Amino acid sequence: MTEAIPAATLVLFRESADGAEHLFVERAATMVFAGGAVVFPGGRVDPGDYEAAKRFPALDPEDVAARIAAIRETVEEAGIAVGFDGPVDVESIRTALHAGAAMGDLLDAHGLTLDLDALVPFARWRPNFKETRTFDTRFYLARVDAGHAEARVDRTENVHLFWETASRVLALADDRKVKIIFPTRRNLERLATLGGFDAARAHALAHPVETITPQVEERNGIPHLCIPDGLGYPVISEELSTAMRG
């Protein structure tokens, strides 16, 4: 198995008349990994995230660094701040992050601390699709307050962002209006059954977070891409010919 790059993703929840909506970003078609696909905000865990994780010495440093990365990437990609303990000058922090500032330095400069409990562990995926890059991605859930800043795309790795329900994005993918990779589809199918944030949080806490590495298995003579049962996913296989893997 190839060495994986640690990464983190944040599944944001906001309430709407149609139910819980999540924030999605469309990756630039030129990106090596998941080019043109619709995904949740997130990205790789940076050295600065590990450095900032030292502020929480009693906790698992890998998990803490991933939570910090999810918070940072969501500010960078969408201009939305979650997981901060106090009011945030989002635009100032976003500009500094884009310029290469480390998260820990920005926390000190703005007198901020992090509320890591605002992020709920949901899943961990480590596909081994033999793509150019392999990621070990931790997924977290978080609620967005009603008064949050309006999301704005960063126009670097991503070209578009939008809020939508999990069911609607699945329908858009089935109509070939958006592209979603295999892990995103499985997570959307799971989210579509959960309703609002409180129900999703309870569901996440009731299911173990185990690293998921999809495997190819033959079912009725047809190759399927499969994931383990018992982790909260209503659909655990898809024909290999239709699975978008990166």
Side-chain angles (χ1 to χ4, degrees):
M1 187 177 287
T2 57
E3 185 175 352
I5 300 167
T9 288
L10 197 52
V11 181
L12 297 177
F13 282 70
R14 77 172 188 185
E15 301 305 319
S16 76
D18 296 324
E21 293 181 335
H22 312 291
L23 184 65
F24 297 90
V25 296
E26 180 183 341
R27 291 175 60 78
T30 54
M31 297 299 294
V32 173
F33 176 78
V38 166
V39 298
F40 302 107
R44 69 175 63 205
V45 183
D46 286 346
D49 302 323
Y50 287 107
E51 187 63 30
K54 295 177 181 178
R55 297 162 185 256
F56 304 87
L59 303 178
D60 174 13
E62 293 292 334
D63 175 61
V64 173
R67 291 178 193 241
I68 293 171
I71 293 168
R72 173 184 55 74
E73 287 281 351
T74 302
V75 173
E76 289 184 17
E77 294 185 354
I80 292 182
V82 296
F84 291 89
D85 192 4
V88 179
D89 183 349
V90 180
E91 281 307 306
S92 176
I93 290 179
R94 189 184 198 190
T95 299
L97 287 171
H98 283 162
M103 190 64 155
D105 293 341
L106 292 176
L107 293 174
D108 291 340
H110 290 261
L112 294 169
T113 56
L114 294 176
D115 176 15
L116 298 181
D117 289 336
L119 277 64
V120 180
F122 182 64
R124 183 175 179 180
W125 283 72
R126 192 204 181 285
N128 188 30
F129 297 145
K130 296 181 171 52
E131 300 291 336
T132 304
R133 294 173 184 150
T134 298
F135 291 93
D136 180 355
T137 305
R138 299 175 191 242
F139 289 75
Y140 300 93
L141 312 179
R143 191 202 314 263
V144 173
D145 294 331
H148 71 83
E150 187 63 30
R152 293 187 296 107
V153 71
D154 63 6
R155 296 288 178 184
T156 54
E157 295 182 356
N158 306 307
V159 296
H160 177 58
L161 59 75
F162 60 97
W163 290 93
E164 192 52 273
T165 65
S167 297
R168 177 60 179 156
V169 174
L170 286 168
L172 291 171
D174 290 341
D175 291 340
R176 299 188 178 183
K177 294 180 179 178
V178 299
K179 294 166 57 178
I180 53 176
I181 60 176
F182 182 84
T184 303
R185 178 175 284 278
R186 301 288 82 85
N187 281 317
L188 287 175
E189 291 161 347
R190 184 178 175 188
L191 290 165
T193 70
L194 301 181
F197 177 77
D198 290 337
R201 182 180 186 277
H203 169 88
L205 294 176
H207 290 82
V209 175
E210 299 179 3
T211 303
I212 298 173
T213 299
Q215 304 292 331
V216 177
E217 300 176 9
E218 288 227 350
R219 302 196 171 181
N220 297 320
I222 300 173
H224 280 67
L225 197 58
C226 306
I227 64 174
D229 201 358
L231 301 180
Y233 289 88
V235 180
I236 60 172
S237 70
E238 179 181 346
E239 287 191 21
L240 186 61
S241 62
T242 65
M244 182 180 175
R245 289 169 281 167

